[in-house]
Amino acid sequence: MSEADNRGPESGGIRREPEGSNGREGTYDTTQTFGHDSDLSFVPFGHELSDVELEAIEALPSRSALLIVRSGPTAGARYLLDTDVMTVGRHPEADIFFDDVTVSRRHAEITRDGAIFEIIDQRSLNGTYVNGERVDRGVLVNGAEVRIGKFRLNFFSSPADLSQPAAG
Protein backbone atom coordinates (compact mmCIF):
# COMPACT_ATOMS: atom_id res chain seq x y z
CA MET A 1 0.00 0.00 0.00
CA SER A 2 1.47 3.38 -0.93
CA GLU A 3 1.60 6.39 1.33
CA ALA A 4 -1.12 8.03 -0.81
CA ASP A 5 -3.46 5.13 0.02
CA ASN A 6 -3.07 5.73 3.75
CA ARG A 7 -3.81 9.44 3.65
CA GLY A 8 -6.79 10.52 5.69
CA PRO A 9 -9.01 13.51 4.94
CA GLU A 10 -6.73 15.83 6.89
CA SER A 11 -3.89 15.13 4.46
CA GLY A 12 -6.01 15.65 1.36
CA GLY A 13 -6.88 11.98 0.83
CA ILE A 14 -10.37 10.75 0.12
CA ARG A 15 -12.14 8.66 2.75
CA ARG A 16 -15.24 6.70 1.85
CA GLU A 17 -18.03 6.42 4.36
CA PRO A 18 -18.60 2.82 5.45
CA GLU A 19 -21.74 1.22 4.01
CA GLY A 20 -24.72 2.06 6.19
CA SER A 21 -23.10 5.23 7.47
CA ASN A 22 -25.24 8.31 7.57
CA GLY A 23 -22.32 10.67 6.96
CA ARG A 24 -21.57 11.42 10.61
CA GLU A 25 -18.28 10.04 11.83
CA GLY A 26 -18.69 6.99 14.02
CA THR A 27 -22.46 6.66 13.55
CA TYR A 28 -24.42 4.27 11.42
CA ASP A 29 -28.04 4.08 10.42
CA THR A 30 -28.90 0.61 11.62
CA THR A 31 -31.63 -1.02 13.67
CA GLN A 32 -30.48 -2.56 16.93
CA THR A 33 -31.83 -5.91 18.02
CA PHE A 34 -33.05 -6.75 21.47
CA GLY A 35 -30.44 -8.37 23.69
CA HIS A 36 -32.27 -11.51 24.82
CA ASP A 37 -35.62 -13.25 24.97
CA SER A 38 -36.70 -11.68 28.26
CA ASP A 39 -37.02 -8.39 26.37
CA LEU A 40 -39.74 -10.03 24.29
CA SER A 41 -41.94 -11.21 27.15
CA PHE A 42 -45.63 -10.40 26.93
CA VAL A 43 -47.18 -9.08 30.09
CA PRO A 44 -50.45 -7.39 29.14
CA PHE A 45 -51.15 -3.93 30.45
CA GLY A 46 -54.36 -3.35 32.26
CA HIS A 47 -56.67 -0.88 30.62
CA GLU A 48 -56.09 1.85 33.19
CA LEU A 49 -56.86 4.78 30.96
CA SER A 50 -56.91 8.39 32.01
CA ASP A 51 -60.11 10.43 31.71
CA VAL A 52 -58.58 12.28 28.74
CA GLU A 53 -57.76 9.00 26.97
CA LEU A 54 -61.28 7.66 27.63
CA GLU A 55 -62.78 10.87 26.24
CA ALA A 56 -60.56 10.62 23.13
CA ILE A 57 -61.71 7.04 22.53
CA GLU A 58 -65.39 7.95 23.07
CA ALA A 59 -65.06 10.81 20.56
CA LEU A 60 -63.67 8.61 17.75
CA PRO A 61 -65.78 8.79 14.60
CA SER A 62 -66.84 5.61 12.84
CA ARG A 63 -64.09 3.89 10.80
CA SER A 64 -61.32 5.34 12.95
CA ALA A 65 -59.22 4.03 15.81
CA LEU A 66 -56.63 5.21 18.29
CA LEU A 67 -53.19 3.86 19.21
CA ILE A 68 -52.00 4.87 22.66
CA VAL A 69 -48.33 4.42 23.56
CA ARG A 70 -48.25 2.63 26.91
CA SER A 71 -44.49 2.24 27.33
CA GLY A 72 -41.41 3.40 25.51
CA PRO A 73 -39.77 6.76 24.95
CA THR A 74 -43.07 8.44 23.98
CA ALA A 75 -45.40 6.87 26.57
CA GLY A 76 -48.75 8.64 26.61
CA ALA A 77 -48.66 9.69 22.94
CA ARG A 78 -51.83 9.04 20.94
CA TYR A 79 -52.08 8.35 17.21
CA LEU A 80 -55.34 8.69 15.31
CA LEU A 81 -55.85 6.01 12.67
CA ASP A 82 -58.23 7.52 10.13
CA THR A 83 -56.81 6.68 6.69
CA ASP A 84 -56.69 3.47 4.67
CA VAL A 85 -52.89 3.06 5.01
CA MET A 86 -50.59 4.44 7.71
CA THR A 87 -46.86 3.76 7.88
CA VAL A 88 -44.99 3.09 11.12
CA GLY A 89 -41.24 3.36 11.50
CA ARG A 90 -38.06 5.28 12.16
CA HIS A 91 -38.16 7.03 8.79
CA PRO A 92 -38.88 10.74 9.37
CA GLU A 93 -41.70 10.64 6.82
CA ALA A 94 -43.54 7.75 8.51
CA ASP A 95 -47.10 8.58 9.55
CA ILE A 96 -46.28 7.21 13.01
CA PHE A 97 -42.65 8.13 13.67
CA PHE A 98 -40.77 6.26 16.40
CA ASP A 99 -37.27 7.69 16.74
CA ASP A 100 -35.57 4.72 18.34
CA VAL A 101 -32.94 2.26 17.08
CA THR A 102 -35.12 -0.76 17.96
CA VAL A 103 -37.59 0.33 15.26
CA SER A 104 -36.84 -0.30 11.57
CA ARG A 105 -37.05 2.64 9.18
CA ARG A 106 -40.05 1.05 7.48
CA HIS A 107 -41.28 -1.19 10.27
CA ALA A 108 -44.98 -1.79 9.62
CA GLU A 109 -48.15 -0.58 7.92
CA ILE A 110 -51.60 -0.31 9.41
CA THR A 111 -54.36 -0.77 6.86
CA ARG A 112 -58.07 -0.11 7.14
CA ASP A 113 -60.85 -1.92 5.29
CA GLY A 114 -64.17 -0.49 6.43
CA ALA A 115 -63.88 -0.53 10.21
CA ILE A 116 -61.36 -3.40 10.28
CA PHE A 117 -57.72 -2.52 10.96
CA GLU A 118 -54.79 -4.80 10.23
CA ILE A 119 -51.08 -4.40 10.96
CA ILE A 120 -48.57 -5.72 8.41
CA ASP A 121 -44.90 -6.13 9.29
CA GLN A 122 -42.58 -4.76 6.58
CA ARG A 123 -39.76 -7.30 7.17
CA SER A 124 -38.59 -5.40 10.23
CA LEU A 125 -35.56 -6.64 12.15
CA ASN A 126 -37.22 -6.86 15.58
CA GLY A 127 -40.66 -7.87 14.30
CA THR A 128 -44.17 -6.70 15.02
CA TYR A 129 -46.15 -8.26 17.85
CA VAL A 130 -49.88 -8.37 18.56
CA ASN A 131 -50.85 -9.59 22.03
CA GLY A 132 -47.40 -11.13 22.49
CA GLU A 133 -47.35 -13.07 19.21
CA ARG A 134 -44.97 -12.14 16.41
CA VAL A 135 -47.04 -11.52 13.28
CA ASP A 136 -46.41 -10.90 9.61
CA ARG A 137 -49.94 -9.53 9.54
CA GLY A 138 -52.61 -9.44 12.17
CA VAL A 139 -56.09 -8.03 12.68
CA LEU A 140 -56.27 -5.41 15.43
CA VAL A 141 -59.19 -5.86 17.81
CA ASN A 142 -60.30 -3.43 20.48
CA GLY A 143 -57.82 -3.37 23.36
CA ALA A 144 -55.10 -5.30 21.48
CA GLU A 145 -51.52 -4.68 22.51
CA VAL A 146 -49.07 -3.93 19.70
CA ARG A 147 -45.29 -3.95 20.18
CA ILE A 148 -42.97 -2.25 17.72
CA GLY A 149 -39.37 -2.17 18.91
CA LYS A 150 -39.41 -1.07 22.54
CA PHE A 151 -42.78 0.68 22.11
CA ARG A 152 -45.89 -0.98 23.53
CA LEU A 153 -49.20 0.41 22.37
CA ASN A 154 -52.88 -0.35 22.85
CA PHE A 155 -55.33 -0.23 19.94
CA PHE A 156 -58.85 1.11 20.47
CA SER A 157 -61.64 1.00 17.88
CA SER A 158 -64.33 3.62 17.56
CA PRO A 159 -67.20 2.83 19.96
CA ALA A 160 -69.57 3.53 17.03
CA ASP A 161 -68.10 0.52 15.19
CA LEU A 162 -68.11 -1.74 18.25
CA SER A 163 -71.86 -1.29 18.76
CA GLN A 164 -72.73 -2.40 15.21
CA PRO A 165 -73.68 -6.04 14.69
CA ALA A 166 -71.18 -8.18 12.82
CA ALA A 167 -71.91 -8.69 9.14
CA GLY A 168 -72.65 -12.21 7.94
Side-chain angles (χ1 to χ4, degrees), residues 72-129:
T74 59
R78 295 181 302 217
Y79 297 96
L80 177 63
L81 307 176
D82 63 351
T83 61
D84 289 338
V85 178
M86 293 193 70
T87 58
V88 182
R90 192 167 34 93
H91 192 282
E93 293 178 9
D95 297 313
I96 299 174
F97 173 62
F98 290 141
D99 189 15
D100 188 83
V101 295
T102 61
V103 176
S104 295
R105 290 176 61 74
R106 288 174 177 75
H107 199 100
E109 282 185 353
I110 298 172
T111 61
R112 175 182 69 180
D113 183 11
I116 306 296
F117 289 83
E118 189 173 34
I119 192 160
I120 304 161
D121 187 79
Q122 300 294 301
R123 298 187 315 225
S124 65
L125 185 61
N126 285 317
T128 300
Y129 293 77

Side-chain angles (χ1 to χ4, degrees), residues 43-54 57 68-71 76 145 154 156:
V43 178
F45 283 103
H47 289 285
E48 345 46 65
L49 298 170
S50 70
D51 289 341
V52 172
E53 291 168 335
L54 288 170
I57 293 166
I68 301 175
V69 180
R70 305 297 292 214
S71 73
E145 182 181 295
N154 280 120
F156 296 98

